[in-house]
Amino acid sequence: MLFKLGFHSKSNVEILLENEETCILENLLDEDDIIQEAKAHYGKLIDFLCKSENLTKMIDFITIEIPIEQVNDLKKNNNQKESEIMINEEKLQKRIYKYPRVAAEILSCDIEPIYTSIVNDKLLMTSLFDFILQEEEKRNVNLSNYWIRVVTCLVQRKPIEVHKFIMTQNEQFVIKFVNHIGIPGMDELLLKIISCELYDLIVSAETNRSAKQQLKLRLMDAKDNSDAVNIIKQAVHWWVDNGIEFKLIDKLTSTFSSDYHVNVTRILSEIIRRSLQYNLDITKLNPLAQNVLSDKVLVKLMDTLLANNQVLNEGISLLHTLIDTSIDLMDTDFDENLPNAIKVILSKLPDLVNLLKELPTDNNNTLVLTFGTLNPPLGETRLKVIEFLSSLYHIRCEPVEKALIECNVLNVVIDLFFKYEFNNLLHNLLLNIISFILSGDSQSLKKNLFVDCKIVERILKANKLNDQNMKEGNKMRKGYMGHLIIISNTIVTTANSDDTIQQMIKDIQGWKEFVDTTLSERNAIESRQMGSDDNYLHIVSVSSIQLPPLSEEEQKEKEEAFIGFDDEMEESDNYVHIPTPITPPEDEKADIIGLSNNSTSSTVNTNNTTENNNDKEMQLSDV
């Protein structure tokens, strides 16, 4: 009611806006409640901010950096008074820190008139996107974050207008944009601008009713949906024509930081993954996703990753994405028509295996640990390569199995298993591979495991080496023995139900003895209750033995030993011990007699009847 009658106090923003001729943007940005008023969509403030000169200032605040050195130069200026220097320094500090932050917050407040004013003014759009034309070394981290936030909001609210503006640019725009791809958050912004997901949603909407409704919501702000659909399709083709995928792969080199590698890998992975949300037919994917999955791009990608171990280490997640999407896209004749991604990966499989065999080129490749020195250590890159190769075994496809056998992948991994005896991550990967082979139907992989790799013979050899190590005074077992026990049990269990495996291992010398002795003993120890010891097990085993029945004489002697036992127990229950009273001196008798007459409950507490209690009181009174 007070607001309607005009009795509420005016905010500083309202007071400043009353005189628009003297009001300037900087004064408004100095007010603490400016952001709150903007979010409340205060009409007078929105009209003021939507003016071209004010929008230009706010865009300049988040795109043009004022070097901090100017503050130091200002302090060194001897021609100005100290008061003037302090005033100018404060203004400069606000221009560097406060104004960009407040301007970015206002431009991200989801204010429709501001976004409309920006996209309808080509000069403002040019000024906004000129930020990416700056050199990479000169960019400011804070301004980069502000710019990404504002442009992301603009793309979400006005995607069609942003696409129209970008398509007026040339290839240099793409190059400059990719040059800044290492900035955190720039990867997600590029995905939104390219709009591959919208393209696939448009294609899916032609046959899917729910996709059609979703598309209508996404294009709610567009005046003409048909025109918006055409612009989105043209925008995706524009990025493809300017070779965005090749320019991204070019950043996967050692000359660029890991931030570039991670962001590029994520962009390429998300382009493929998001496209498959709506279509599982590769011919209906958006043009950019089809290009990424083409032979030309995949070969360049694999060559780039294999050129540097560090790049491979950070980009191998993209190979996992390619494998997963290829499995999703496979059809019934998968054995004959392999997807392009799997074909290219299999062609580079020898290079990946050679990477496992080669020693790291790092000069400082010695790792000192508590159990010894590793020279060289396995390394993160080789471990990730083994993890990727293990995923290939999950593709139930004859050409893939054949390539794995020809490249001797399993044998190389087994060699590393025994070489790095304390690397549990590596041991788990081999265990998963062997478990998958034994549980599968591929006879070629089983033959490769038992005949070519001689896994049983290597288990027996490792067990002997472990026994020798224990006898030499070193009480610590080999680090891989725990996993070898699990692998051995898996082999035994599988052989009981698989005649083919049984035939391959039955003639191996020492295997049956190992199973009956070492393996069974170890299984007994590991199945023992935690915290128990050998004496406990002996007691339990003895108590569980069934003794022969007693003879009549023995039974009679046993019964006679317990005759009268119950009667004695009953007597002991009724028996109450009354202590012998102590005779006090003569001068204390009177006090005791008086005390006994006044006391009725200070006697010994027993379970006898009331009659017994009275007898005891009489005894005390007699004393």
Side-chain angles (χ1 to χ4, degrees):
M1 188 66 181
L2 294 175
F3 290 97
K4 292 182 179 179
L5 297 175
F7 293 116
H8 68 284
S9 59
K10 294 183 179 180
S11 66
N12 293 335
V13 173
E14 293 181 78
I15 295 173
L16 289 173
L17 289 173
E18 286 180 351
N19 191 353
E20 295 186 6
E21 296 180 357
T22 59
C23 180
I24 60 174
L25 179 64
E26 286 80 356
N27 292 341
L28 285 174
L29 298 182
D30 285 333
E31 297 300 328
D32 294 335
D33 57 347
I34 178 67
I35 297 175
Q36 182 179 355
E37 295 287 351
K39 289 182 177 179
H41 293 260
Y42 177 42
K44 225 171 185 182
L45 175 62
I46 301 302
D47 294 339
F48 179 82
L49 294 176
C50 287
K51 292 181 179 180
S52 180
E53 61 272 15
N54 293 328
L55 287 175
T56 302
K57 277 187 179 181
M58 287 194 290
I59 290 175
D60 289 343
F61 287 155
I62 65 172
T63 57
I64 300 176
E65 179 185 7
I66 301 297
I68 192 64
E69 288 80 9
Q70 289 191 17
V71 179
N72 299 328
D73 295 339
L74 186 63
K75 293 179 180 180
K76 296 177 183 179
N77 191 351
N78 298 325
N79 297 328
Q80 290 183 336
K81 296 180 181 180
E82 185 176 353
S83 59
E84 294 178 353
I85 293 176
M86 292 181 64
I87 294 173
N88 293 332
E89 181 183 353
E90 183 181 0
K91 290 181 179 179
L92 196 57
Q93 291 279 6
K94 288 181 178 179
R95 172 62 183 85
I96 295 174
Y97 298 110
K98 184 175 184 178
Y99 294 160
R101 177 180 59 81
V102 178
E105 190 70 31
I106 293 173
L107 293 174
S108 305
C109 282
D110 197 14
I111 301 173
E112 175 68 20
I114 290 181
Y115 295 147
T116 303
S117 301
I118 293 176
V119 297
N120 290 336
D121 192 332
K122 189 174 182 180
L123 291 177
L124 291 176
M125 290 290 287
T126 304
S127 178
L128 180 62
F129 281 92
D130 277 348
F131 174 78
I132 62 174
L133 301 180
Q134 300 176 9
E135 295 296 331
E136 176 193 352
E137 295 79 9
K138 297 181 180 180
R139 70 171 184 235
N140 181 281
V141 177
N142 291 331
L143 294 186
S144 299
N145 293 332
Y146 297 151
W147 184 84
I148 291 173
R149 185 179 177 187
V150 171
V151 175
T152 300
C153 294
L154 187 65
V155 172
Q156 289 177 340
R157 291 305 305 268
K158 300 292 181 181
I160 306 305
E161 290 79 0
V162 174
H163 289 319
K164 286 181 178 180
F165 172 77
I166 290 177
M167 285 190 290
T168 61
Q169 308 298 309
N170 53 23
E171 187 179 358
Q172 195 66 22
F173 178 88
V174 180
I175 296 174
K176 292 295 183 180
F177 203 107
V178 174
N179 286 341
H180 292 77
I181 205 63
I183 303 175
M186 190 67 81
D187 52 342
E188 186 62 34
L189 176 60
L190 181 60
L191 289 169
K192 289 184 180 295
I193 292 178
I194 295 176
S195 298
C196 287
E197 187 179 357
L198 270 177
Y199 187 104
D200 294 300
L201 185 61
I202 291 171
V203 175
S204 179
E206 297 175 358
T207 57
N208 191 320
R209 186 175 179 181
S210 62
K212 187 175 183 180
Q213 300 236 343
Q214 188 176 352
L215 178 63
K216 189 180 293 185
L217 292 174
R218 296 283 294 271
L219 301 179
M220 186 181 299
D221 294 334
K223 296 180 181 178
D224 186 0
N225 279 355
S226 61
D227 184 49
V229 166
N230 292 331
I231 291 174
I232 291 172
K233 289 184 176 181
Q234 293 172 12
V236 176
H237 283 284
W238 182 89
W239 287 98
V240 173
D241 295 339
N242 285 279
I244 180 65
E245 65 276 15
F246 291 104
K247 292 177 174 60
L248 288 172
I249 294 175
D250 289 337
K251 300 300 177 183
L252 294 174
T253 60
S254 57
T255 56
F256 296 95
S257 65
S258 60
D259 293 333
Y260 282 85
H261 305 157
V262 173
N263 283 358
V264 169
T265 300
R266 182 178 180 275
I267 290 171
L268 295 176
S269 298
E270 289 299 317
I271 287 174
I272 301 171
R273 188 179 290 113
R274 295 183 184 184
S275 299
L276 294 176
Q277 290 180 354
Y278 305 104
N279 296 303
L280 291 178
D281 186 357
I282 193 171
T283 59
K284 294 183 179 180
L285 298 181
N286 65 78
L288 185 54
Q290 292 186 29
N291 265 25
V292 173
L293 293 173
S294 64
D295 291 344
K296 187 177 180 180
V297 175
L298 290 173
V299 170
K300 180 178 175 60
L301 174 64
M302 289 297 297
D303 291 338
T304 304
L305 293 178
L306 292 171
N308 185 276
N309 288 351
Q310 182 63 29
V311 176
L312 178 61
N313 183 30
E314 294 162 345
I316 202 167
S317 59
L318 177 56
L319 301 183
H320 284 283
T321 302
L322 293 174
I323 292 294
D324 295 339
T325 54
S326 298
I327 295 176
D328 294 337
L329 293 172
M330 71 181 184
D331 50 18
T332 54
D333 55 348
F334 187 53
D335 288 342
E336 298 178 2
N337 300 322
L338 287 176
N340 292 336
I342 294 183
K343 286 181 182 178
V344 174
I345 290 174
L346 293 182
S347 66
K348 301 295 181 181
L349 194 58
D351 296 329
L352 291 171
V353 176
N354 289 333
L355 184 64
L356 299 179
K357 296 178 181 179
E358 295 175 356
L359 299 179
T361 57
D362 188 7
N363 294 329
N364 187 17
N365 55 3
T366 301
L367 185 61
V368 180
L369 301 172
T370 55
F371 59 82
T373 301
L374 294 179
N375 187 12
L378 179 66
E380 185 180 4
T381 301
R382 291 202 287 178
L383 184 64
K384 286 190 174 182
V385 170
I386 295 173
E387 183 182 5
F388 169 70
L389 293 176
S390 67
S391 65
L392 295 178
Y393 281 90
H394 293 264
I395 304 177
R396 301 181 183 275
C397 172
E398 185 177 347
V400 176
E401 295 174 358
K402 184 178 179 181
L404 291 171
I405 295 173
E406 290 178 352
C407 293
N408 203 21
V409 172
L410 186 56
N411 206 13
V412 173
V413 176
I414 292 176
D415 290 339
L416 294 174
F417 175 91
F418 289 106
K419 181 177 180 179
Y420 298 97
E421 59 177 278
F422 288 100
N423 195 318
N424 286 342
L425 296 177
L426 170 62
H427 299 166
N428 283 329
L429 290 175
L430 179 63
L431 176 61
N432 292 336
I433 294 174
I434 293 178
S435 300
F436 182 81
I437 292 175
L438 294 177
S439 62
D441 300 328
S442 175
Q443 298 301 322
S444 58
L445 289 179
K446 292 179 181 178
K447 182 181 178 182
N448 178 241
L449 176 63
F450 290 100
V451 179
D452 301 332
C453 299
K454 300 184 181 299
I455 184 63
V456 173
E457 290 86 343
R458 301 197 70 168
I459 291 175
L460 297 176
K461 183 179 178 181
N463 182 62
K464 290 182 179 179
L465 185 62
N466 179 67
D467 293 341
Q468 293 176 2
N469 190 46
M470 298 284 287
K471 290 178 181 179
E472 291 175 357
N474 186 3
K475 295 184 178 181
M476 185 171 61
R477 294 196 308 160
K478 292 290 184 181
Y480 47 67
M481 286 304 298
H483 286 82
L484 284 186
I485 295 298
I486 299 175
I487 293 173
S488 301
N489 285 325
T490 307
I491 293 174
V492 172
T493 304
T494 308
N496 292 334
S497 58
D498 193 327
D499 295 335
T500 304
I501 296 178
Q502 185 66 37
Q503 292 296 324
M504 286 189 286
I505 65 174
K506 69 175 184 178
D507 296 330
I508 298 177
Q509 185 178 2
W511 173 250
K512 189 177 185 303
E513 181 183 357
F514 169 78
V515 173
D516 295 337
T517 57
T518 304
L519 186 61
S520 60
E521 291 174 1
R522 174 51 57 179
N523 289 336
I525 292 174
E526 293 183 357
S527 61
R528 191 172 64 187
Q529 182 179 358
M530 184 177 293
S532 63
D533 53 16
D534 294 338
N535 293 331
Y536 170 79
L537 292 178
H538 178 70
I539 293 172
V540 173
S541 61
V542 170
S543 62
S544 62
I545 297 175
Q546 295 183 357
L547 298 176
L550 299 175
S551 63
E552 293 181 1
E553 296 180 358
E554 293 175 339
Q555 185 68 25
K556 186 176 180 180
E557 291 178 359
K558 191 173 182 180
E559 291 176 354
E560 289 177 354
F562 288 93
I563 292 177
F565 180 77
D566 293 338
D567 296 337
E568 294 177 1
M569 293 297 296
E570 290 178 1
E571 292 178 1
S572 63
D573 290 340
N574 296 327
Y575 176 75
V576 177
H577 174 70
I578 301 177
T580 304
I582 301 174
T583 304
E586 293 293 334
D587 55 350
E588 295 181 5
K589 284 185 178 181
D591 295 336
I592 296 176
I593 293 173
L595 177 64
S596 63
N597 292 332
N598 297 327
S599 174
T600 59
S601 61
S602 60
T603 60
V604 179
N605 186 15
T606 65
N607 293 329
N608 291 348
T609 61
T610 307
E611 183 179 354
N612 292 332
N613 290 334
N614 294 333
D615 292 338
K616 284 183 280 186
E617 289 181 1
M618 293 175 62
Q619 292 177 5
L620 289 174
S621 61
D622 292 338
V623 175

